[in-house]
Amino acid sequence: MGVIIVALAAGIALGASRLLPAARLGSLGRLITATLFIMLVALGAQIGANRELLANIGPLGWRAFVISVLSVAGSVAALYIVARHIRLTAGAPERRDG
């Protein structure tokens, strides 16, 4: 988990540093989509190769569905809260003391 957080922080730092040209930033969406597709195919291949998991897919399927739905709902809720906070702070006038 620590490696994921470090990689995410490194990406944020890289984006904030403006070291990437603007032309490259536009193609990052396609790169992310392609990478996610490759990861999903690899995950599916790993699941398909696990005979024990495939034998128990019935009972595990319902639990996996519930966990997936709750994960998506939590992610959407967190995004809503963060987006609302950013919108509120971005539109707030600066306060000057004195």
Side-chain angles (χ1 to χ4, degrees):
M1 183 71 168
V3 173
I4 294 171
I5 293 172
V6 169
L8 183 61
I12 291 170
L14 181 64
S17 70
R18 309 271 189 226
L19 291 175
L20 292 174
R24 298 269 181 174
L25 292 175
S27 63
L28 285 179
R30 288 187 300 243
L31 177 63
I32 291 169
T33 301
T35 303
L36 284 174
F37 180 76
I38 291 168
M39 289 173 57
L40 287 171
V41 169
L43 179 63
Q46 187 174 16
I47 290 171
N50 188 334
R51 299 292 174 212
E52 184 179 341
L53 179 63
L54 287 177
N56 294 318
I57 199 73
L60 292 175
W62 178 250
R63 290 180 189 158
F65 175 75
V66 170
I67 290 171
S68 298
V69 168
L70 292 176
S71 295
V72 169
S75 296
V76 169
L79 179 62
Y80 174 77
I81 291 167
V82 169
R84 188 169 177 203
H85 176 71
I86 289 172
R87 213 172 324 144
L88 289 176
T89 56
E94 283 188 38
R95 296 179 88 184
R96 299 203 181 236
D97 294 330

